[in-house]
Amino acid sequence: GETYDPPEIPFCYEIIPKCELTPIEKVIASPGWTVLEDSTITLSCEEGYEGEEEIVQCQSNGEYEEPQISCQERKLAECYIRPIPHTVLKLEDGSLLQDFTVIEGTVILMSCEEGYEASSNRTSLTCQRNGKLSQEIPMC
């Protein structure tokens, strides 16, 4: 009872070099952290962080330059609100605006003191990323 071992049949497959980047904290990689040769990965910062966008090129041999991107926590912009006579400024929760500096994303609701009327009916203002209100505060 001799056992018959069939010969191993060699087969060939193409080796496609690819680049695998090590994920970096607070960074988004598009299309992903691994790409095939001759393609690129675009690196950008997650929401709430800022840094220069960077493009990493995966070369034909699977080599790439180490990305230099660094994402810093983005400081929220502040809007300064100058006091205006006869104007009542409140926050969304209905509380009176205590100080005249608010951070970006804050919504301020404006109304006039009794006996006064606003020059505009757009009475909701938002502190924007550029440190300015979404519009001028209407006069009363």
Side-chain angles (χ1 to χ4, degrees):
E2 241 179 81
T3 57
Y4 170 74
D5 287 324
E8 282 197 24
I9 301 163
F11 61 95
C12 300
Y13 55 93
E14 192 179 4
I15 298 166
I16 301 172
K18 61 180 185 196
C19 297
E20 279 186 63
L21 273 70
T22 308
I24 305 165
E25 226 181 312
K26 312 288 179 235
V27 175
I28 299 163
S30 173
W33 291 104
T34 304
V35 293
L36 298 178
E37 60 173 313
D38 296 328
S39 50
T40 58
I41 300 176
T42 304
L43 302 177
S44 55
C45 295
E46 284 178 3
E47 190 69 46
Y49 291 83
E50 59 187 356
E52 282 293 306
E53 190 176 88
E54 191 176 337
I55 293 173
V56 175
Q57 174 73 46
C58 178
Q59 292 154 21
S60 52
N61 57 2
E63 296 286 310
Y64 62 91
E65 272 181 40
E66 278 300 320
Q68 302 303 311
I69 190 167
S70 93
C71 297
Q72 308 302 319
E73 197 160 350
R74 190 167 67 76
K75 213 176 154 314
L76 291 175
E78 290 187 342
C79 296
Y80 172 73
I81 294 149
R82 55 189 175 83
I84 299 174
H86 314 297
T87 303
V88 180
L89 298 174
K90 293 184 174 175
L91 296 170
E92 273 184 306
D93 64 7
S95 62
L96 278 173
L97 191 64
Q98 296 299 329
D99 46 13
F100 292 98
T101 310
V102 294
I103 58 165
E104 101 183 47
T106 306
V107 175
I108 299 160
L109 304 172
M110 170 268 171
S111 60
C112 294
E113 289 173 358
E114 197 141 339
Y116 290 87
E117 173 172 288
S119 60
S120 158
N121 57 4
R122 300 214 310 267
T123 55
S124 167
L125 312 124
T126 307
C127 177
Q128 301 176 123
R129 188 171 174 165
N130 61 5
K132 293 186 172 25
L133 289 172
S134 51
Q135 64 185 53
E136 284 289 310
I137 298 175
M139 302 294 279
C140 291

